[in-house]
């Protein structure tokens, strides 16, 4: 059940705030998690391309992607457009003022705009059909079904998974006419990405120096400061949003940044793994679920902890196979080969040459060594014949020796 049973928003009263502050001071959380422990992320894909439902605990978000052909902007005539819209009207509380509701909507919408549009995660040039005339306009609609904290992370995961899952039809432009091919005529095309951003949220309190990751609604409303970090799969910082009254230092921010970078990389791997499983499921008949199945939890859930645990097991198994000792040639020859067989010695570098060629190479090497010895003797005689007349000339001796050595090297190269 994803409907919130509380009619009034938790974390607003003084008693709740003092309770959370004292619990954070003792390094305990209301749901039994540790300060650096995340809730399990579950993905569910619908029958339509670009329909994804994401749940983190009791927080549930539904994202849908659609596209249409429109006119480009005058500033960027060869790029498509990406529009993000968030709807949180379904989780309004009785004690919520309209200004608070609008502020939360604007904050969430601006954060998504900075994470996806300002960081330019999509290759918008690939959405161009005809310069200054026709481009693809991609729209992402995010509907918050239930709010139990950390809407930022749930919305970014849902938007990224929906964009990666979406497929658009292929078009052709000839003689100022656009022809859209159906799915039977040509396969649908996925969107092209430059990077994959994911946000991670932390809450800070004045009573403790340890930040809480993935806060619930009670912890989020009682927090003194909130830090939102967005990283991509390459562990590059995309956005940083920090605000509140709790004092923060560089050490705390860097600690949160390292953890957020690793978390973002793991979430992108999880989304890719979930997309592979969804593609396999679509090949099976009567295995596609609609929107009603997503809302009623009848569709299969892809858990982050389950899929990543299987991935770790496969990596460990592959590592064990690669670390197995390879039997040496002596043991193989003793055990497998019969007694009459002759084992050839390993081939030397000069065994592939003939006898005449090998003797000619040895003679040339001797000539090179003799020329090196003669040049070294001449360099020693010249250095002894010249007395030390002044300190300036003595300081120039190393350069003379280097010059003699370089001349000898040139002689050797000529002989070779």
């Amino acid at each position: 059940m994803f409907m919130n049973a509380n009619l009034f928003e938790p974390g607003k009263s003084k008693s709740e705030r003092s309770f959370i502050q004292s619990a954070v001071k003792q390094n305990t959380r209301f749901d039994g998690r540790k300060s650096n422990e995340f809730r399990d992320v579950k993905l569910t894909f619908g029958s339509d391309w670009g329909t994804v439902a994401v749940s983190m605990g009791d927080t549930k978000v539904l994202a849908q992607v659609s596209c249409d052909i429109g006119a480009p902007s005058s500033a960027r005539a060869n790029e498509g457009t990406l529009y993000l819209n968030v709807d949180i009207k379904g989780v309004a509380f009785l004690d919520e003022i309209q200004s608070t509701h609008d502020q939360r909507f604007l904050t969430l919408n601006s954060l998504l705009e900075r994470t996806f549009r300002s960081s330019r995660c999509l290759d918008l040039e690939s959405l161009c059909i005809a310069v200054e005339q026709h481009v693809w306009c991609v729209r992402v609609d995010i509907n918050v079904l239930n709010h139990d904290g950390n809407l930022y992370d749930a919305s970014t995961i849902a938007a990224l998974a929906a964009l990666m899952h979406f497929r658009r039809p292929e078009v052709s432009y000839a003689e100022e006419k656009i022809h859209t091919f159906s799915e039977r005529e040509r396969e649908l095309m996925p969107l092209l990405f430059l990077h994959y951003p994911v946000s991670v949220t932390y809450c800070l309190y004045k009573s403790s120096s340890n930040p809480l990751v993935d806060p619930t609604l009670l912890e989020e409303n009682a927090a003194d400061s909130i830090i939102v970090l967005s990283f991509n799969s390459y562990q590059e910082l995309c956005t940083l949003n920090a605000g509140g009254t709790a004092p923060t230092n560089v050490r705390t921010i860097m600690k949160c940044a390292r953890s957020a970078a690793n978390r973002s990389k793991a979430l992108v791997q999880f989304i890719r793994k979930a997309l592979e499983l969804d593609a396999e499921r679509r090949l099976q008949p009567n295995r596609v679920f609609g929107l009603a199945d997503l809302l009623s939890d009848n569709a299969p859930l892809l858990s982050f902890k389950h899929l990543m645990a299987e991935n770790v097991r496969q990596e460990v198994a592959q590592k064990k196979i690669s670390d197995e000792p390879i039997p040496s040639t002596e043991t193989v020859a003793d055990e497998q080969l019969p007694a009459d067989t002759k084992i050839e010695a390993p081939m030397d570098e000069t065994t592939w040459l003939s006898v005449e060629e090998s003797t000619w190479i040895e003679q040339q090497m001797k000539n090179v060594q003799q020329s090196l010895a003669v040049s070294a003797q001449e360099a020693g005689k010249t250095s002894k014949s010249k007395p030390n007349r002044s300190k300036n000339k003595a300081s120039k001796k190393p350069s003379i020796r280097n010059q003699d050595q370089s001349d000898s090297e040139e002689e050797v190269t000529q002989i070779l």
Side-chain angles (χ1 to χ4, degrees), residues 327-396:
S328 61
T329 56
E330 295 180 357
T331 57
V332 171
D334 294 339
E335 294 177 0
Q336 298 179 0
L337 295 178
D340 298 335
T341 56
K342 294 181 180 181
I343 303 174
E344 296 181 356
M347 186 174 63
D348 195 9
E349 294 179 354
T350 58
T351 53
W352 57 276
L353 297 172
S354 63
V355 178
E356 296 178 357
E357 292 176 348
S358 61
T359 54
W360 182 81
I361 291 173
E362 291 177 358
Q363 187 177 0
Q364 293 295 327
M365 294 295 293
K366 289 180 181 179
N367 294 334
V368 171
Q369 293 177 359
Q370 290 177 3
S371 62
L372 286 173
V374 171
S375 61
Q377 290 177 1
E378 292 178 356
K381 289 179 181 180
T382 54
S383 61
K384 291 180 180 179
S385 62
K386 293 182 180 181
N388 296 330
R389 295 181 181 180
S390 61
K391 295 181 180 180
N392 295 329
K393 291 183 179 180
S395 62
K396 294 181 181 179

Side-chain angles (χ1 to χ4, degrees), residues 45 49-52 63-67 81-84 112 115-117 121-122 124 127 138-142 155-168 189-193 195-197 271 275:
F45 297 98
W49 292 106
T51 303
V52 181
Q64 291 178 312
V65 180
S66 59
C67 67
T81 59
L82 175 64
Y83 180 73
L84 295 154
L112 291 173
T115 303
F116 290 96
R117 290 188 61 183
C121 66
L122 275 180
L124 298 179
L127 301 177
V138 181
R139 178 187 176 95
V140 183
D141 293 309
I142 300 173
S155 299
T156 53
I157 293 172
L160 179 62
L163 288 171
M164 294 174 66
H165 184 255
F166 179 69
R167 299 290 186 273
R168 65 172 179 85
M189 299 179 61
L191 300 177
L192 298 181
F193 283 83
H195 60 91
Y196 304 90
I271 294 174
L275 289 172

Side-chain angles (χ1 to χ4, degrees), residues 105-223:
F105 161 74
L106 292 175
T107 303
L108 181 59
N109 202 2
S110 64
L111 179 65
L112 291 173
E113 292 279 344
R114 290 171 55 192
T115 303
F116 290 96
R117 290 188 61 183
S118 300
S119 66
R120 301 184 66 84
C121 66
L122 275 180
D123 187 7
L124 298 179
E125 293 183 359
S126 64
L127 301 177
C128 180
I129 301 173
V131 180
E132 297 182 355
Q133 294 183 7
H134 305 285
V135 294
W136 283 107
C137 300
V138 181
R139 178 187 176 95
V140 183
D141 293 309
I142 300 173
N143 298 297
V144 180
L145 304 180
N146 191 61
H147 180 25
D148 190 26
N150 202 2
L151 277 179
Y152 306 112
D153 298 2
S155 299
T156 53
I157 293 172
L160 179 62
L163 288 171
M164 294 174 66
H165 184 255
F166 179 69
R167 299 290 186 273
R168 65 172 179 85
E170 190 174 355
V171 297
S172 64
Y173 183 75
E175 297 180 357
E176 297 184 356
K177 292 183 180 180
I178 299 175
H179 176 68
T180 304
F181 296 95
S182 62
E183 188 175 358
R184 295 180 178 179
E185 294 176 346
R186 292 187 182 181
E187 293 184 359
L188 301 178
M189 299 179 61
L191 300 177
L192 298 181
F193 283 83
L194 301 177
H195 60 91
Y196 304 90
V198 179
S199 66
V200 182
T201 305
Y202 295 87
C203 286
L204 300 177
Y205 302 87
K206 295 180 180 179
S207 59
S208 177
S209 59
N210 293 327
L212 296 184
V213 68
D214 190 12
T216 60
L217 184 58
L218 183 62
E219 296 170 344
E220 189 175 332
N221 289 332

Side-chain angles (χ1 to χ4, degrees), residues 208-250:
S208 177
S209 59
N210 293 327
L212 296 184
V213 68
D214 190 12
T216 60
L217 184 58
L218 183 62
E219 296 170 344
E220 189 175 332
N221 289 332
D224 297 316
S225 296
I226 296 177
I227 299 177
V228 182
L229 298 164
S230 297
F231 281 86
N232 56 17
S233 57
Y234 307 107
Q235 297 185 351
E236 298 173 347
L237 180 63
C238 298
T239 58
L240 170 61
N241 188 15
T245 59
T248 56
N249 51 15
V250 178

Side-chain angles (χ1 to χ4, degrees), residues 30-104:
F30 185 72
D31 53 0
R33 291 182 293 154
K34 298 180 181 179
S35 60
N36 58 350
E37 186 177 353
F38 297 86
R39 290 177 291 184
D40 190 16
V41 180
K42 297 180 181 179
L43 286 179
T44 307
F45 297 98
S47 59
D48 297 333
W49 292 106
T51 303
V52 181
V54 177
S55 60
M56 298 174 59
D58 288 338
T59 300
K60 189 166 185 179
V61 175
L62 177 66
Q64 291 178 312
V65 180
S66 59
C67 67
D68 195 6
I69 298 176
S73 61
S74 59
R76 300 182 182 274
N78 61 336
E79 293 183 358
T81 59
L82 175 64
Y83 180 73
L84 295 154
N85 181 37
V86 183
D87 186 9
I88 60 173
K89 296 178 181 179
V91 293
F93 298 93
L94 295 179
D95 60 339
E96 230 178 22
I97 309 174
Q98 185 67 27
S99 60
T100 306
H101 183 273
D102 294 341
Q103 183 180 1
R104 179 174 291 173

Side-chain angles (χ1 to χ4, degrees), residues 261-271 304 308:
N262 297 328
R263 174 68 174 179
S264 301
K265 185 177 180 180
L267 283 173
V268 173
Q269 293 178 357
F270 163 64
I271 294 174
F304 173 81
M308 297 309 293

